[in-house]
Amino acid sequence: VETGEKADEPIDGCRYASVGWLADESGFFYSRKLDGEKPEEIDTEQSIRFHKLGTPSEKDEIIAKATLKEGIIVSTIDNEGKWLLISEYMGSSGKAKLDIFNVEKKEKRPVVDNFDNIYEGEIYNGNIYLKTSKDNALNWKIEKVNCETLAWTTVIPENEKDVIEFFTISDGSLLIGKMHDVASRISLVDINGQNEKEIQLPVLGNVYGLSANTENSEIFISFSSFAYPPVIFEYTKEKGLQTFWKADVPVDVTGIVTEQIFYESKDGTKIPMFIIYKKGLEKNGSNHTFLRGYGGFNVSYPMYFSSTNTAWIETGGIMAIANIRGGGEYGEKWHQSGMLDKKQNTFDDFAWAMKYLSDNKYTNPQKLAIWGGSNGGLLTGAMVTQYPELFKAAVVAVPLLDMLRFHKFLIGRYWVSEYGSSDNEEQFNYIFKYSPYQNIKKESRYPAVLLTAGEHDSRVHPMHAKKMAAALQFENRSNDPVFLWVDTKAGHGQGKSTQARIKESAMELGFFLRMLGVE
């Protein structure tokens, strides 16, 4: 940084790399694909390698190789540069087998030799600290493993109500992020799990980033909520929580109201939903409303500030988010109840959110729009085919829609643990029942649909949106349009410029406003 000199040459094949530097900065461990001869091997057969600065990367030592074709292998190094934790994940499942590598002795030993449980961890002072579902801890617990003896100790036991989202190490303490009814909580705990102290956040909201260091007590916390623009707090034990930076947002957030309600889904399960609108809103059943959801991969849909949401609310509209099953809002149990053969729960939860908004006079089906992207695009695509009478317009963004073939394209094989595979007869049967592309009915009436795709998407193939658009346009007998928008210079969404994101958001909001008849 000081001299501006290039430290080394680029290394290819590292799209999904993790990097762990030695303490003396002479080299680093990283993940890379093996040198396959076929194009389809680009994301398979991954390995952990060591690169010494100034040497040819072709000669880098291979420390470990993935044992599964769909294995994702990463590593993390301790603060002293002595121990390397190697984690191989079974696709996107989070289930991992673990090895510990002694950097000095170049010895590798198994810590977990199967893929039965979910693990995420880091090493500190000769111990591996792991967030895990081991022993059926579906809200997660933190375990400690001694690097020398491989003895296990429970540090933070599972909590019935609070889900452990993440942890890191700050100045010899554990910094733990939890979720309680979809709101973030943060606390500091002694390294042995004692004397927990909560860091009080200003309002109910979401911690979406943390920066901490093992050597000092300075902690940086990225935070926002629906009516609380993005802020970075600096926390020290001496001074407490102080504002380090905040976004300059030209919006009066004092007039924004956030409700959290719990509605019953089809099977009676209570589902949380956020409803956000301008103060003074009348529940007259005719407010234009925009409902979002995701429901997959143990990913939560938290409280967050968004210029898109705010623009919608400024038009007098209602913004809602349904925290449906398949996500991580209530731990791995919530995730498991919306995956594989239980995926229909995700769709029913979202449909019953739409029913709640209409039944309770927030809106009505002719004034209701829905949005989902990626796995959320599968969600809104399924709403188009299963519950078209409940809403007027849908954005189906970078979606998975042909679920009988998703695993045959790009990195789809990593998601078989989430959805199943049509190559398995039992799984074929339940996938076929909900797969949006296969469930378009002949000569039926469908709501307005805007399907979007990125031509260079490396995750979800654009063929999903293209095929769905063609089939819907052919079969739709309503007067509502079906649009396809393919961004020829984009992928799955990550890395888009601000200008490109503004263009896309404006198009989607404009589509909703037009379809819902809002001047």
Side-chain angles (χ1 to χ4, degrees), residues 280-289 316-318 354-369 390 392 516:
L281 180 97
E282 279 187 60
K283 292 183 185 176
N284 54 20
S286 62
N287 298 294
H288 54 286
T289 301
I318 295 172
M354 290 192 278
K355 290 175 185 281
Y356 179 92
L357 291 168
S358 291
D359 292 347
N360 289 273
K361 303 299 181 185
Y362 288 95
T363 190
N364 70 72
Q366 292 301 304
K367 289 287 186 179
L368 178 58
L390 295 181
K392 179 67 173 177
L516 301 184

Side-chain angles (χ1 to χ4, degrees), residues 442-469:
K442 292 187 179 297
E443 300 186 5
S444 292
R445 299 174 65 84
Y446 288 105
V449 182
L450 169 60
L451 295 120
T452 72
E455 193 62 44
H456 302 284
D457 197 327
S458 62
R459 296 188 180 198
V460 178
H461 201 288
M463 67 93 177
H464 288 275
K466 294 176 181 180
K467 288 169 62 173
M468 188 79 171

Side-chain angles (χ1 to χ4, degrees), residues 112-126:
V112 175
D113 58 5
N114 55 40
F115 292 92
D116 288 347
N117 296 292
I118 296 172
Y119 297 95
E120 292 176 22
E122 58 182 279
I123 314 172
Y124 178 71
N125 282 1

Side-chain angles (χ1 to χ4, degrees), residues 313-371:
I313 291 165
E314 285 189 339
T315 69
I318 295 172
M319 175 76 219
I321 293 174
N323 297 112
I324 53 184
R325 283 174 286 184
E329 286 85 351
Y330 293 100
E332 183 61 14
K333 185 178 180 181
W334 198 250
H335 174 214
Q336 291 175 4
S337 61
M339 63 184 285
L340 295 172
D341 61 326
K342 297 180 177 63
K343 190 64 186 170
Q344 186 59 41
N345 286 338
T346 302
F347 307 135
D348 292 338
D349 289 354
F350 198 75
W352 261 250
M354 290 192 278
K355 290 175 185 281
Y356 179 92
L357 291 168
S358 291
D359 292 347
N360 289 273
K361 303 299 181 185
Y362 288 95
T363 190
N364 70 72
Q366 292 301 304
K367 289 287 186 179
L368 178 58
I370 62 175
W371 187 97

Side-chain angles (χ1 to χ4, degrees), residues 64-247:
K65 297 179 183 179
T67 60
L68 303 175
K69 185 179 180 183
E70 70 277 13
I72 301 170
I73 190 166
V74 297
S75 64
T76 181
I77 198 164
D78 72 334
N79 51 315
E80 297 173 335
K82 180 180 178 181
W83 299 101
L84 187 76
L85 177 65
I86 299 169
S87 308
E88 182 184 355
Y89 293 97
M90 184 196 296
S92 62
S93 67
K95 293 182 176 180
K97 76 180 197 68
L98 309 174
D99 291 316
I100 189 72
F101 180 75
N102 188 312
V103 175
E104 295 171 357
K105 297 179 181 179
K106 295 193 174 182
E107 290 177 352
K108 181 159 64 78
R109 290 182 296 160
V111 179
V112 175
D113 58 5
N114 55 40
F115 292 92
D116 288 347
N117 296 292
I118 296 172
Y119 297 95
E120 292 176 22
E122 58 182 279
I123 314 172
Y124 178 71
N125 282 1
N127 291 294
I128 310 166
Y129 290 85
L130 296 167
K131 169 191 160 185
T132 177
S133 63
K134 185 171 173 276
D135 304 320
N136 206 37
L138 299 184
N139 277 358
W140 318 110
K141 61 180 178 176
I142 296 176
E143 298 258 302
K144 178 176 73 174
V145 185
N146 185 286
C147 292
E148 295 283 4
T149 66
L150 301 186
W152 290 68
T153 308
T154 299
V155 179
I156 307 289
E158 180 186 19
N159 186 290
E160 276 186 20
K161 296 182 178 179
D162 292 346
V163 177
I164 297 175
E165 285 195 283
F166 51 80
F167 78 93
T168 189
I169 294 165
S170 170
D171 194 27
S173 297
L174 289 172
L175 178 63
I176 300 173
K178 301 176 184 178
M179 180 173 283
H180 180 88
D181 282 340
V182 206
S184 291
R185 291 180 173 178
I186 303 180
S187 58
L188 279 166
V189 186
D190 291 350
I191 201 71
N192 59 3
Q194 303 299 312
N195 302 317
E196 182 170 6
K197 179 188 177 184
E198 186 169 353
I199 298 174
Q200 292 295 327
L201 298 168
V203 296
L204 290 179
N206 174 46
V207 172
Y208 59 91
L210 271 181
S211 176
N213 192 295
T214 58
E215 306 305 323
N216 60 60
S217 63
E218 205 172 38
I219 298 167
F220 292 95
I221 302 165
S222 303
F223 179 83
S224 79
S225 192
F226 296 120
Y228 201 98
V231 61
I232 297 175
F233 294 117
E234 181 181 3
Y235 176 86
T236 60
K237 292 173 184 176
E238 298 76 28
K239 297 181 180 178
L241 202 67
Q242 296 183 313
T243 299
F244 178 77
W245 172 90
K246 62 180 179 180

